[in-house]
Amino acid sequence: TLLHHPLTQILTRTPHTHLSNSINMAALSAIAPVVTRVTAVSTVKTTNAKSMMVWQPHGNKFFETFSFLPPLSDGEIAKQVQYMLNNGWTPCIEFEDAAHAYADGHGWSGLDSSITAGYYDNRYWVMWKLPMYGCVNPEEVLQEVRACTKAFPYCYVRVCGFDNIKQVQCSSFLASRPPNDGTFAALNERQV
């Protein structure tokens, strides 16, 4: 309990005078752990110029999680889906064409969708079939990603994970880009 803590006993043992305050501080210093100071950030000029590059803002569009990486393999997608399943989330596949996939503007509905409104017409993509309720195997999701990509080869495909208790999307990642996608820079051209 708080009454038996050494710090409480030191503070309550001595009367509150100027002399006792210095005694209290000495006692506090005696029981305080020793902390070693470590320099976290160096202000020395870097010798590696690659570590101080600037992000290329043009022709370098990305989506949510993992879209900055090279395309994910089936095995990597399966691991992400397994993570969703382990958390009890329901996988769902969505797709959209390049003209509507990015939330660059505020859409075409004419609604006030300023930054304070938090609404973008193209934030929501078309759902491929229904959410995969009861899915227990990542291979089921991979089959649906392949079928969606085959049916809509010039669309982006993403996998989302929904929490049915909290009623929110908890995860989302890009599973496929169209073959003619030129909206993002190659790995070696993303920084200058």
Side-chain angles (χ1 to χ4, degrees):
T1 65
L2 190 58
L3 293 175
H4 295 96
H5 191 276
L7 181 58
T8 305
Q9 293 173 0
I10 291 169
L11 292 175
T12 57
R13 191 178 329 150
T14 56
H16 296 290
T17 65
H18 179 68
L19 182 58
S20 66
N21 283 342
S22 62
I23 294 170
N24 286 343
M25 292 309 293
L28 288 173
S29 299
I31 63 170
V34 177
V35 178
T36 305
R37 183 181 173 116
V38 177
T39 304
V41 178
S42 171
T43 56
V44 179
K45 185 176 179 180
T46 182
T47 57
N48 180 359
K50 292 263 186 204
S51 66
M52 299 297 291
M53 299 186 77
V54 176
W55 183 257
Q56 173 60 267
H58 305 290
N60 211 9
K61 295 181 179 180
F62 293 95
F63 295 98
E64 58 274 317
T65 313
F66 305 130
S67 68
F68 62 92
L69 295 173
L72 297 177
S73 68
D74 283 356
E76 292 166 330
I77 292 171
K79 287 179 183 179
Q80 295 307 314
V81 172
Q82 188 61 56
Y83 175 80
M84 290 178 185
L85 297 174
N86 290 347
N87 282 290
W89 302 335
T90 300
C92 178
I93 298 167
E94 298 177 338
F95 65 98
E96 192 57 78
D97 63 6
H100 300 101
Y102 288 102
D104 291 351
H106 298 291
W108 49 87
S109 69
L111 293 174
D112 175 16
S113 57
S114 64
I115 193 72
T116 57
Y119 175 82
Y120 295 89
D121 281 334
N122 54 352
R123 176 175 33 185
Y124 301 106
W125 290 9
V126 178
M127 190 183 309
W128 172 258
K129 300 184 180 178
L130 292 173
M132 300 180 73
Y133 300 110
C135 177
V136 294
N137 185 349
E139 186 56 37
E140 296 172 54
V141 177
L142 282 170
Q143 288 174 358
E144 293 300 325
V145 167
R146 288 184 203 111
C148 181
T149 303
K150 184 177 178 184
F152 299 98
Y154 295 101
C155 287
Y156 296 93
V157 178
R158 69 179 172 195
V159 179
C160 304
F162 291 95
D163 186 323
N164 66 337
I165 304 299
K166 296 177 184 173
Q167 298 291 307
V168 294
Q169 178 180 316
C170 297
S171 177
S172 178
F173 65 92
L174 196 62
S176 176
R177 288 182 180 269
N180 62 346
D181 181 25
T183 59
F184 69 103
L187 288 173
N188 61 345
E189 297 172 1
R190 293 181 184 174
Q191 297 178 353
V192 290

